[in-house]
Amino acid sequence: MADFGPIWHPSQERISTSLISGFTDHLARQNKFFATYEELHRWSIDESRSFWIELWNYCDVIGSQGQCVTGEGIVSGRPFYAAADTKWFPQAELNYAENCLSYAYQNPEGVALWCRNENGHTQKLTWQQLSDQVSIVQQWLEQNGVGAGDVVAGYLPYIAESVVAMLATTSLGAIWTSISPDFGIDSVLERFSQVSPKILFCCNGYTFNGETHRLEANNAAIAAKLPQLTNTCQIEYLQQRNTSDAFNDSFSDWEAILKSYQARGVEYCRVAFNDPLFILYSSGTTGQPKCIVHSVGGTLLNHLKEHQLHCDVHPKDRVFYFTTCGWMMWNWHVSALASGATLIIYDGHPFYPQPQVLWQLAEETQTTLFGTSARYLAELENRHFSPSDYYTLKHLNTLCSTGSPLYAEQFDFVYQHIKSDVHLASISGGTDICGCFVLGVPTLPVYRGECQSSALGMEIAAFNEQGQATTAQSGELVCCNSFPNQPLGFWQDDGTQYYSAYWHKFAGVWHHGDEIEATPHQGWRFLGRSDTMLNPGGVRIGTAEIYRHVNSLPGVLDSIAVGYQQNNDESIVLFIQLASDASLTSEFQAEIKKHLKTHCSPRHVPAYIIAVDDIPRTHSGKLVEKALKQALHQKTISNLHAIANPQSIEEAKVRLFTQLN
């Protein structure tokens, strides 16, 4: 890819007022001087102990570090760079919810949550109101026997009640896990039955894209199959209560709970830094979902780093992220409370009732950070909707994109059609670490198609198959050092599955499963998942480059490419979803092939191009290339219901075999 120079530069004022500059000033007062981000990053790796201690102090984490004043005693386990077994801050104690609600004392009447759904219903909670509701739900949980180490589950849309329930749970030192309500009964049970929750929070239904989905029957079926439950709380989110036989009046009612207790100061149970906080789930598209356990201290400390130093989130900022409770970005978003930010929340379809719905919300709420996915930005472009034609977005400082690589042309779209002066941060990490490996730096320029930098405190590299770092070619994303937010492991696993998943391929380093390449600007470019790399003629090709060019063509809404074994070689099969006014003529196929040959290489040209009605994705919107490839090779997909639209797998399979025959 040609280097066209930076597409955005931060102003000197923005650099000087950024929290990362404040952090370097904090370090300078201790005779630690760094002239560039590269120097700061190098120190954060070489002196990891000191970095994480200084981050704790700079972010005013509430809790006790233990005996870590000089850096001694900050880690335990095998030697420091035996990263898999390192435990950070082994003597520290803190509480996640206490840190998230600390701004209630400083700004009780300020808005903590600003929520809206696709029906236009708006709800605001002040910091005091949020704390009061957390106090009440905490009392109810205690009355139901919930304490440190117990699991509480949420089968919920992203609404204010979800935040309250999670904070009440974690205030007690208990463990929170959640799934979005678009998951079916089997998918919910496949996850929750592994972790045996004591309490289940659910709702009577939700609306999406104008359609109402009632959940009373689902809730009853799920509760009946979770024998460890001591109580279930149902939120009457839909205004009309269901009077059918499916309604279960044995559930506790959210509003009744709020009326049954008096708010008092939230009591916080401080637990060990490495005690469990969240259980998140792998996609489960190739087997039973893995239950990934994240620690209290590691999650909080890393989110503070990412929010404040990388995303420049200040107290009283307005932070929006379009997410569901089934995606780790929900946990990431809620943690912004610990930086004193107001959460801007939207529940519903991002283009319903109108394409501008999220931007209207951003304008009205004076959003400072807007978080979304690359797929959403692509859909904006497909719909030819330009937010800057309607909104000034004068308060918007940062736009984050994740979920899949952000193509170079999408950078152009953001700066031309959303805002010309915005820090565009393409970030990447995942459920595995409940955070990011690479992300934005508000004091550095932005280059088209690049993630700006490795995260502070993380030594990211691209490894070749021999386990050697390479900058001359693409390689596997690895993290060579330990970091506090590496997961504690998998629930009820003796460590075997956990080590096999992340630490087995390259001894002593974290193997993440993404194919990346270094850029000349100390940034990274993502090429796709390494286990779905295409290999025609023995040449490794990343799918992201194909999607970047194909999806930019008029008439193409979405695409997915997989390798199909044929005649002792691998052929590329490209499935495309077309706009309603487009058709896959022989001329259009020739145009696609010529475009890929010209802009990529002859190796990128697919052997087959097939139109389909839908592209298979997970519930969180990620492409399921691996499961599709398995289906095309007549292998059993063990977990079809982990895919949001499983019928698309069968459709693609039938259409390929029809063309082959």
Side-chain angles (χ1 to χ4, degrees):
M1 182 182 296
D3 185 351
F4 295 103
I7 195 170
W8 177 81
H9 280 285
S11 67
Q12 284 303 312
E13 179 184 4
R14 174 138 195 194
I15 292 172
S16 63
T17 59
S18 69
L19 290 174
I20 194 169
S21 292
F23 182 60
T24 56
D25 291 343
H26 164 83
L27 296 173
R29 289 191 288 272
Q30 301 169 60
N31 295 316
K32 298 181 178 74
F33 301 98
F34 306 102
T36 65
Y37 177 81
E38 187 176 5
E39 291 179 8
L40 176 65
H41 184 266
R42 187 70 256 167
W43 170 79
S44 75
I45 294 170
D46 293 341
E47 301 293 338
S48 281
R49 294 173 174 85
S50 296
F51 166 72
W52 290 106
I53 290 174
E54 294 299 345
L55 179 71
W56 177 307
N57 296 336
Y58 180 71
C59 294
D60 294 322
V61 174
I62 300 170
S64 169
Q65 290 183 7
Q67 301 300 313
C68 302
V69 176
T70 64
E72 297 300 323
I74 191 175
V75 293
S76 66
R78 294 191 299 169
F80 180 57
Y81 281 102
D85 292 335
T86 301
K87 297 297 181 187
W88 287 85
F89 293 93
Q91 301 172 354
E93 292 185 344
L94 72 169
N95 183 276
Y96 174 83
E98 183 177 11
N99 281 272
C100 285
L101 292 173
S102 63
Y103 280 83
Y105 300 103
Q106 303 177 34
N107 188 27
E109 299 308 313
V111 177
L113 308 182
W114 189 326
C115 311
R116 180 167 296 164
N117 64 20
E118 66 173 38
N119 298 319
H121 175 72
T122 300
Q123 179 185 14
K124 297 179 187 178
L125 290 182
T126 66
W127 285 97
Q128 188 62 58
Q129 290 170 330
L130 174 61
S131 296
D132 288 347
Q133 290 195 20
V134 169
S135 168
I136 289 171
V137 177
Q138 179 193 64
Q139 294 172 60
W140 180 79
L141 288 171
E142 284 184 302
Q143 187 173 337
N144 282 277
V146 175
D150 289 328
V151 177
V152 174
Y155 178 43
L156 295 167
Y158 191 2
I159 52 180
E161 291 87 344
S162 307
V163 179
V164 172
M166 186 268 270
L167 292 176
T169 296
T170 57
S171 70
L172 295 169
I175 306 164
W176 175 262
T177 189
S178 60
I179 296 174
S180 58
D182 56 333
F183 279 69
I185 295 171
D186 290 342
S187 293
V188 175
L189 289 172
E190 192 170 39
R191 290 159 174 78
F192 287 171
S193 63
Q194 293 188 69
V195 301
S196 303
K198 203 167 189 176
I199 299 291
L200 173 67
F201 288 96
C202 55
C203 68
N204 65 336
Y206 66 100
T207 61
F208 189 79
N209 202 21
E211 296 184 9
T212 297
H213 302 267
R214 304 212 69 98
L215 293 175
E216 290 98 333
N218 283 27
N219 298 337
I222 291 165
K225 291 293 184 68
L226 296 174
Q228 290 81 8
L229 285 179
T230 60
N231 210 331
T232 297
C233 172
Q234 183 167 282
I235 300 161
E236 301 301 307
Y237 183 40
L238 295 180
Q239 293 182 353
Q240 295 299 317
R241 180 188 291 267
N242 190 359
T243 57
S244 71
D245 293 338
F247 180 71
N248 190 333
D249 60 4
S250 66
F251 290 166
S252 296
D253 177 75
W254 179 272
E255 289 300 325
I257 291 171
L258 293 185
K259 295 175 182 177
S260 298
Y261 300 84
Q262 291 293 321
R264 62 190 187 195
V266 183
E267 297 178 2
Y268 300 106
C269 174
R270 291 188 181 177
V271 295
F273 187 95
N274 293 293
D275 278 354
L277 172 70
F278 296 137
I279 299 174
L280 305 181
Y281 303 96
S282 65
S283 62
T285 53
T286 57
Q288 188 177 41
K290 296 184 286 290
C291 307
I292 307 171
V293 185
H294 293 283
S295 69
V296 177
T299 301
L300 175 68
L301 196 56
N302 182 66
H303 286 176
L304 287 168
K305 176 197 75 177
E306 294 182 0
H307 291 149
Q308 296 189 25
L309 302 190
H310 289 284
C311 294
D312 204 30
V313 174
H314 294 247
K316 298 185 180 181
D317 273 0
R318 305 284 177 85
V319 176
F320 168 79
Y321 224 103
F322 182 70
T323 180
T324 72
C325 293
W327 189 23
M328 55 78 49
M329 293 310 299
W330 180 80
N331 308 75
W332 189 92
H333 187 220
V334 175
S335 291
L337 291 170
S339 294
T342 298
L343 303 185
I344 309 301
I345 298 167
Y346 181 80
D347 174 49
H349 193 284
F351 291 96
Y352 184 88
Q354 299 293 336
Q356 67 265 31
V357 61
L358 297 187
W359 301 103
Q360 183 176 330
L361 178 64
E363 184 87 341
E364 180 182 342
T365 60
Q366 300 180 0
T367 290
T368 55
L369 184 151
F370 186 102
T372 186
S373 65
R375 188 184 182 196
Y376 171 78
L377 295 173
E379 183 63 19
L380 275 182
E381 191 169 7
N382 286 334
R383 292 177 181 237
H384 305 290
F385 181 77
S386 177
S388 61
D389 289 346
Y390 304 92
Y391 308 105
T392 63
L393 302 172
K394 65 179 181 180
H395 296 92
L396 183 64
N397 298 318
T398 306
L399 194 154
C400 291
S401 172
T402 190
S404 59
L406 190 66
Y407 311 135
E409 291 79 7
Q410 291 178 289
F411 281 68
D412 298 334
F413 176 80
V414 168
Y415 284 106
Q416 292 170 13
H417 297 282
I418 296 179
K419 193 176 183 182
S420 60
D421 184 19
V422 68
H423 176 212
L424 175 55
S426 180
I427 65 178
S428 184
T431 299
D432 318 80
I433 62 168
C434 199
C436 303
F437 280 124
V438 300
L439 64 175
V441 181
T443 57
L444 295 181
V446 171
Y447 292 84
R448 301 169 75 249
E450 297 183 19
C451 297
Q452 278 181 288
S453 178
S454 304
L456 289 168
M458 294 185 172
E459 187 174 11
I460 305 304
F463 270 19
N464 60 23
E465 286 298 317
Q466 290 72 46
Q468 301 166 329
T470 175
T471 57
Q473 59 188 27
S474 67
E476 299 256 11
L477 188 159
V478 299
C479 186
C480 300
N481 67 333
S482 174
F483 47 95
N485 58 302
Q486 61 195 50
L488 299 175
F490 298 154
W491 189 258
Q492 295 183 332
D493 173 40
D494 63 2
T496 303
Q497 286 185 301
Y498 170 63
Y499 283 93
S500 176
Y502 304 118
W503 305 95
H504 176 70
K505 184 164 185 175
F506 303 115
V509 300
W510 175 283
H511 165 243
H512 196 58
D514 283 329
E515 187 85 2
I516 61 173
E517 63 181 9
T519 74
H521 320 109
Q522 287 73 54
W524 297 99
R525 190 174 295 117
F526 279 69
L527 307 178
R529 293 292 295 173
S530 57
D531 57 1
T532 57
M533 292 289 288
L534 304 171
N535 197 29
V539 178
R540 286 168 61 83
I541 292 174
T543 54
E545 194 169 11
I546 291 178
Y547 303 149
R548 172 190 163 215
H549 290 286
V550 171
N551 292 358
S552 68
L553 293 173
V556 177
L557 297 180
D558 204 357
S559 63
I560 186 169
V562 295
Y564 181 69
Q565 290 298 320
Q566 196 176 40
N567 301 323
N568 297 318
D569 196 3
E570 184 172 272
S571 299
I572 299 176
V573 183
L574 176 66
F575 298 95
I576 59 174
Q577 180 184 2
L578 296 169
S580 58
D581 59 349
S583 59
L584 188 60
T585 62
S586 57
E587 291 80 10
F588 192 25
Q589 290 195 52
E591 180 185 349
I592 293 172
K593 291 181 178 182
K594 181 180 179 181
H595 191 76
L596 288 171
K597 183 178 181 180
T598 302
H599 293 276
C600 299
S601 79
R603 292 289 186 186
H604 289 75
V605 176
Y608 306 98
I609 303 176
I610 299 171
V612 291
D613 296 332
D614 205 3
I615 299 296
R617 290 183 177 270
T618 65
H619 288 278
S620 60
K622 294 185 178 180
L623 291 170
V624 286
E625 297 152 315
K626 191 171 183 179
L628 177 57
K629 186 175 181 178
Q630 287 178 322
L632 298 184
H633 289 90
Q634 307 286 13
K635 295 181 180 179
T636 301
I637 301 173
S638 58
N639 219 346
L640 259 181
H641 51 75
I643 301 170
N645 50 349
Q647 74 285 348
S648 62
I649 295 280
E650 184 62 24
E651 179 201 8
K653 179 179 173 182
V654 169
R655 295 201 178 184
L656 172 63
F657 291 162
T658 298
Q659 183 161 328
L660 290 175
N661 296 326

